[in-house]
Structures are given as C-alpha cells and as structure tokens.
Amino acid sequence: DTGVSQNPRHKITKRGQNVTFRCDPISEHNRLYWYRQTLGQGPEFLTYFQNEAQLEKSRLLSDRFSAERPKGSFSTLEIQRTEQGDSAMYLCASILEGSYNEQFFGPGTRLTVL
Amino acid sequence: AQRVTQPEKLLSVFKGAPVELKCNYSYSGSPELFWYVQYSRQRLQLLLRHISRESIKGFTADLNKGETSFHLKKPFAQEEDSAMYYCALSPQNTGNQFYFGTGTSLTVIP
C-alpha cells in the first residue's frame, strides 16, 4: 500500500461544469476527511466519513458540493456548477481508528476553474 | 468557534539557532493539538501531537492551556527543517473535525 491516493492530480474546467474527484484511503483506515486549501491558507475542513457514514459536514460547504463513500472504502467529492471561487487544492486524509488521530494525507487534486 | 492562529507567515533562522513557531488556539473544551509539516513537493504529514508528549526530529511542543498555546520549538535548527508548518486542533479529542492554522513557512539559512 502506497498511502492515500487522489485522482486526478490536476483538473482544469470551465465555469458551470461539474467535476468529480476520487480519494482512495489507506486500506484499513475507516475514517476519511476532505479538505480544501487555497493559496496562503491552511487546509479547511469540508466533510468527514466514518466507514460509509458521512458524520460531519462543514457549514461552509455549499449545496453544490456533495461527497460519498458508498462502500466505506474510496470516496468521491463532486462539485456541481463550478465557480471560479472553487479553484483550490482539494485534499483527502484518512485515519485508522484508535491511532491517536494521526491523519495520512493524499497528494491533493488541484482544481482550476476558468 | 474553534480557531487556530499562527501569527508568523514567514520565519527565517540561521542554522544552529533556536527556532520557535507560534500557535495559539481558541476553544472552550479540551482540544487535541497537532503539528503537521509539509516539505517541498511532499504531502502533509504529522510531525507531533500533544497527547503523546514526544520529540520528533528534535522538535517539541507543550500545550499551555492557560495561554491557549502550542508553540513548536527546536533548540538547534537544521537546513532540512525548512518547510511549511501547520498547527491543527481537534475538538474534544473526537477526531471528527480538524481545524488548521494558516501555516508558517520556515527557512533555515545555512
């Protein structure tokens, strides 16, 4: 296992299009997190899954954002009707429950909305 | 509301000098605090967490609840310490959410 992976690594889209990102956590990790990071800022929490259940969702998360983790393994983050303000790095992280909350991060997906 | 503040965006020190990266937080309960590091072209990784009271790569951090701080310290900086450092908080040790500061870019001058 090579750690958390994310695809694609880069995505360029036009405003108004829908995009979907995928995150594959470390195989035995049951907790999965999505973050957004813009230039000069730290990662901003978006949502959290424990197995397939989405347990937390940031109040800042627009209705255009939706995330799933259907079988408790990989997760997808979809952004509908993208806006230029959605341009950011989207990070995924996973945790093995009982590991003192050490997050393992993926390399991120960089989204550019033109 | 929870908040993590890292007042220094940029910090430069000479090799061998002590370094301190500041982190202050606001949270009314018992938080769990972390320091994450991102080296050039690498992904974010955990450096240390207050609960384990460990020293990693010569770095230490003490949780000061009175001052609501979790400053990261190292007595003698090395060139390989140059990186972006983020302080993070998890409320009530639940692991349900994590709040990150804006980060401090540390440059160790040879």
Side-chain angles (χ1 to χ4, degrees):
Chain A
D1 190 85
T2 56
V4 179
S5 61
Q6 292 186 245
N7 288 288
R9 296 291 306 276
H10 304 273
K11 179 70 177 179
I12 300 174
T13 191
K14 293 183 179 179
R15 187 177 55 183
Q17 298 294 305
N18 299 344
V19 294
T20 300
F21 310 141
R22 177 177 169 128
C23 170
D24 287 87
I26 295 172
S27 58
E28 65 269 26
H29 287 194
N30 58 331
R31 294 184 170 186
L32 187 147
Y33 303 77
W34 283 100
Y35 295 88
R36 176 173 60 194
Q37 186 174 22
T38 53
L39 196 62
Q41 300 298 314
E44 175 192 17
F45 171 81
L46 293 179
T47 191
Y48 155 62
F49 289 86
Q50 181 156 336
N51 299 311
E52 66 275 8
Q54 187 174 19
L55 297 185
E56 294 282 351
K57 192 173 175 181
S58 169
R59 288 170 294 173
L60 302 174
L61 206 58
S62 153
D63 290 344
R64 296 183 297 106
F65 287 70
S66 63
E68 293 183 343
R69 195 182 182 198
K71 297 182 180 179
S73 56
F74 73 92
S75 175
T76 58
L77 177 68
E78 182 184 16
I79 309 175
Q80 297 182 327
R81 304 181 302 281
T82 52
E83 303 173 355
Q84 288 185 326
D86 297 331
S87 295
M89 177 74 86
Y90 290 84
L91 296 169
C92 175
S94 68
I95 287 179
L96 175 65
E97 190 147 11
S99 67
Y100 300 106
N101 291 330
E102 176 177 359
Q103 293 186 90
F104 289 83
F105 280 85
T109 295
R110 181 168 296 283
L111 173 66
T112 302
V113 182
L114 302 176
Chain B
Q2 301 85 357
R3 180 175 293 179
V4 177
T5 303
Q6 294 180 249
E8 303 137 331
K9 275 211 170 291
L10 302 170
L11 183 63
S12 295
V13 299
F14 285 100
K15 178 182 173 181
V19 60
E20 181 181 49
L21 289 84
K22 291 183 168 54
C23 172
N24 289 89
Y25 67 90
S26 61
Y27 178 63
S28 56
S30 296
E32 189 173 4
L33 275 297
F34 305 82
W35 276 99
Y36 279 81
V37 61
Q38 188 167 25
Y39 300 103
S40 179
R41 298 190 193 87
Q42 294 187 27
R43 58 187 71 185
L44 265 170
Q45 59 185 280
L46 179 68
L47 179 62
L48 55 79
R49 53 197 161 219
H50 91 272
I51 197 169
S52 50
R53 302 182 66 84
E54 57 203 342
S55 173
I56 303 293
K57 299 184 178 183
F59 284 97
T60 59
D62 290 319
L63 178 59
N64 186 323
K65 291 186 178 181
E67 296 183 356
T68 59
S69 67
F70 188 58
H71 302 328
L72 184 68
K73 300 177 184 179
K74 185 170 182 177
F76 307 104
Q78 302 300 313
E79 290 180 63
E80 56 265 30
D81 297 329
S82 295
M84 194 75 183
Y85 291 81
Y86 294 96
C87 182
L89 175 153
S90 178
Q92 294 287 116
N93 193 23
T94 62
N96 287 356
Q97 294 192 37
F98 291 83
Y99 299 91
F100 284 78
T102 52
T104 297
S105 177
L106 174 66
T107 300
V108 180
I109 304 166

